[in-house]
């Protein structure tokens, strides 16, 4: 069985003080007895402080990006080794990185490779533009993104893929469960071709794009979707906690979460 992941991408939001505050609110609602893997991805500058604020919980820490070189004269960049010192997870190839910072498939490929080498679990983001979606090109676009991002890389089930249609990100216009499930099945088929059936069956595929506590169940109930990458709604602790709880109930119906809240 694939353990579901609910990951919060805080993007370029929260000062250090706000990140600590949000972490405190989130940890109050998430029991250590939960089986869902919970990840928060604050800005780089808050990673150390949030790591401290997460102590004693099973909530994992993730970064939102990385540079592919281990160290050197790359002013302003953050290396895989620095991230691996603090985090278990790193988001790679988010559409905002591709769109605003010119990240190509080749760059994403180097980053995935560097992340895996450093022992990080990369969340590789793929997704199509609205025009591609309307032209029925979703499968082609997503397959090509996977191929270029993973070319030459020995894919393992440490990889997580987030399918995030660009038109659904931050727009309040989420996709729907069934088409996302179909695209996730195509993603898994491509991953099988790039590795083998056993590895591909173990890779978690998340949906991202305007996920909220109100609509998350529609995605989590699908057989090929193994969780969510949540942007805006992860900045509201009550929403984020509710999404984790819903995942716990949907994936582990016979083992309802015990409400032993972590004291803060
Ligand atoms: P959103 O962002 O939930 O705010 O749409 C998702 C993402 O970009 O990962």
């Amino acid at each position: 069985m694939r353990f579901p992941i609910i990951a919060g991408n805080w993007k370029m939001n929260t000062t250090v003080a706000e990140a600590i505050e949000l972490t405190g609110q989130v940890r109050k609602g998430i029991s250590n007895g939960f089986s869902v893997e919970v990840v928060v991805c604050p800005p780089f500058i808050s990673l150390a402080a949030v790591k401290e604020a997460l102590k004693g919980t099973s909530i994992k820490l993730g970064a939102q990006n990385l540079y592919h070189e281990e160290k050197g004269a790359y002013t302003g960049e953050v290396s895989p080794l620095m991230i691996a010192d603090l985090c278990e997870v790193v988001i790679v190839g988010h559409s905002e990185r591709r769109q605003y910072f010119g990240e190509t498939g080749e760059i994403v490929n180097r980053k995935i490779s560097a992340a895996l080498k450093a022992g990080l679990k990369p969340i590789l983001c793929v997704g199509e533009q609205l025009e591609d979606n309307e032209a029925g090109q979703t499968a082609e676009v997503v397959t090509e993104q996977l191929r270029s991002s993973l070319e030459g890389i020995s894919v393992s089930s440490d990889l997580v893929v987030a399918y995030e249609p660009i038109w659904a990100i931050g727009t309040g216009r989420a996709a729907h469960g069934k088409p996302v499930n179909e695209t996730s099945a195509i993603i898994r088929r491509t991953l099988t071709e790039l590795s083998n059936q056993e590895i591909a069956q173990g890779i978690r595929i998340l949906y991202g794009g305007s996920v909220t506590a109100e609509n998350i169940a529609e995605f989590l109930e699908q057989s090929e979707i193994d969780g969510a990458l949540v942007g805006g709604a992860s900045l509201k602790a009550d929403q984020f906690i509710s999404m984790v709880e819903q995942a716990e109930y949907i994936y582990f119906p016979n083992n309802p979460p015990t409400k032993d809240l972590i004291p803060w």
Side-chain angles (χ1 to χ4, degrees), residues 9 11 94 96 164 168-171 208-211 229-233:
N9 173 10
K11 307 194 179 183
H94 190 282
E96 287 151 14
E164 301 203 303
I169 296 177
T171 57
S210 298
V211 175
L229 179 56
V230 186

Side-chain angles (χ1 to χ4, degrees), residues 152-206:
I153 292 174
S154 159
V155 175
S156 78
S157 43
D158 275 346
L159 179 74
V160 176
V161 175
Y163 168 53
E164 301 203 303
I166 294 166
W167 48 271
I169 296 177
T171 57
R173 185 184 162 197
H176 288 290
K178 205 161 167 283
V180 172
N181 199 48
E182 283 162 13
T183 304
S184 301
I186 292 164
I187 290 173
R188 201 175 304 285
R189 262 208 303 280
T190 307
L191 292 169
T192 308
E193 286 162 28
L194 294 171
S195 57
N196 61 46
Q197 180 133 16
E198 195 190 330
I199 290 173
Q201 282 301 325
I203 294 177
R204 272 80 58 88
I205 301 175
L206 316 182

Side-chain angles (χ1 to χ4, degrees), residues 45-120:
I45 201 161
S46 297
L47 285 173
V50 171
K51 186 180 170 73
E52 193 59 32
L54 286 173
K55 270 204 178 130
T57 78
S58 54
I59 301 171
K60 293 182 176 155
L61 189 60
Q64 300 173 15
N65 181 30
L66 80 168
Y67 191 59
H68 67 273
E69 294 287 353
E70 291 187 350
K71 61 177 172 175
Y74 302 101
T75 303
E77 291 298 316
V78 179
S79 96
L81 300 183
M82 297 169 191
I83 294 169
D85 200 27
L86 296 170
C87 302
E88 286 178 58
V89 175
V90 61
I91 299 172
V92 182
H94 190 282
S95 63
E96 287 151 14
R97 303 276 338 150
R98 296 179 194 254
Q99 189 179 344
Y100 305 132
F101 303 99
E103 286 195 10
T104 58
E106 199 186 320
I107 293 173
V108 173
N109 182 286
R110 276 192 230 139
K111 291 187 174 195
I112 293 280
S113 184
L116 288 170
K117 187 171 168 220
L120 288 158

